[in-house]
Amino acid sequence: MTDTISNEPPATTGAELQRRDLLKFGGFGAAGLLFGSRAASAADLPPPSPVDRGRVEEGRVVFDPWRSPADTPSAPPPAPLSPDERVGFAIVGLGRLSLEELLPAFAQSKKAKVTALVSGSPGKLRTVASQYGIDPAACYDYESFDAIADNEAVQVVYVVLPNALHREFTERAAKAGKHVLCEKPMATSVEDAEAMVATCAAAKVKLMIAYRIQYEIYNRQLMDWVREKRFGRLVAMSATNVQTVADNGAEQWRHKRALSGGGSLPDIGLYCLNTARFLTGEEPVEVSALLHSPPDDPRYAEVEETVAFRLRFPSGFIAQCLTSYGARDDKHQRLNFERASVDMPNAYSYTGQRLTIAERDGDATAETAVKLEANNQFAAEIDHMATCILDDRTPRTPGEEGVQDHRLMEAIYRSAETGAPVALPAPERLDAFRGPPLPEDKG
Ligand code: NAD
């Protein structure tokens, strides 16, 4: 038997013939039959409806929803500024935070761009400049840093160095006429933190402290619920920020007091302290603390391992906080309101925040998991700074916010040392050390 090739169509049933004819003549009335067919040309297809095409309103592309209100709406398309309009940032210090989080986060920023790098390591400068397309002429070492004054592409200097170097580079940046975004903790003492505020004010530049959690949307949601008393009065909070350190940890700058200013408290306990403050907007009027470091462990020869501290606020709200370098990674907060408890794992992590509300539902207890569209906290914080430059506003987390945390940390250490609570003055208004929140901080 031999195979033959024929140009004749095989015998067909009436239905198959009809299908072939539909395809040939672009029969769209039988759309269900078209799967697997060759695509028709655009000219033969119905044009996009306004629902699909969207429109431009005030420089943004806008689409009408196509899913019913029963579904959670998707976020609108971002409206990034063009590269020419963005605020230029110099990153000072090419360590882990800069390389692992900040430089990647600029890709999600809508208002900022990296225009310069500063590092003491020529190899890192060359490599990172080439990875992120930074002009080699805009790369500085710590000695040549002051020449950044002549670089008009830099408006903000982002200080990402060990804590004890924050003051020097903030002040040098301010004297070069640049605004400053400074990593937390702001400094290593109240005195240095106050000097940074004064220098930036004298140079008429803005100073913002990089409290990323104040720009993270789950914590912002929690702040709104606290302030609108959604579940009644906030009675108490427990906040834990603990992690571990490798055996060779003593070699790291975090374990050298001259560079860090302290151990777990200024490094990670600060998140518990700052969050307890911004959720309510109140300031603690009393702090008490216990401190422990394993004796004879070289990692804790200069800085503390563990601090448990308690904050009492004017409304009666009490925050119990725990920080340690000796316990497995855990960043958890729980808020106890009159009518609900709210549980938040990963509260201070870079990602993975979750919110569960437990409250009465008739004769039952309802546990509701709240899911928000997560933002990149670093990009949100960087964009907040950029907005403050573009619109000439005070940052939500200015230098004064960082100074107050240093005052409180000094009181916590004092209480741990003396065993007695330390009383503090109560400011007359809420958010006494903060600038206004911006609508776009909500993501
Ligand atoms: P890191 O050790 O990874 O990087 C520090 C960089 O500073 C290194 O590149 C190092 O070479 C350079 N450096 C310059 N002089 C130094 C000196 N004398 N000793 C040691 N290093 C020196 O540290 P990191 O984790 O990137 O922290 C940098 C800053 O960012 C700190 O203030 C830290 O508290 C803060 N931080 C903030 C977050 C956050 O979530 N916002 C997270 C991590 C670190």
Side-chain angles (χ1 to χ4, degrees), residues 8-25 27 33:
E8 287 294 315
T12 52
T13 63
E16 281 167 340
L17 192 63
Q18 210 178 8
R19 177 172 177 271
R20 281 214 311 269
D21 286 349
L22 274 171
L23 294 177
K24 190 161 138 200
F25 294 110
L33 294 172

Side-chain angles (χ1 to χ4, degrees), residues 181-195:
L181 175 57
C182 179
E183 262 308 326
K184 52 51 60 183
M186 176 178 181
T188 53
S189 66
V190 173
E191 189 191 342
D192 280 0
E194 284 176 341

Side-chain angles (χ1 to χ4, degrees), residues 93-98 119 124 142 158-163 165-166 183-185 210 212 252-254 259 266-267 271 350 378 381:
L94 297 180
R96 293 171 188 83
L97 184 69
S98 293
S119 168
K124 278 198 288 188
Y142 300 127
Y158 191 168
V159 181
V160 201
L161 290 165
N163 310 339
L165 293 162
H166 290 183
E183 262 308 326
K184 52 51 60 183
R212 61 181 166 79
Q252 228 253 335
W253 64 262
R254 284 179 168 79
L259 284 164
D267 191 22
Y271 288 94
Y350 297 159
F378 294 102
E381 155 207 296

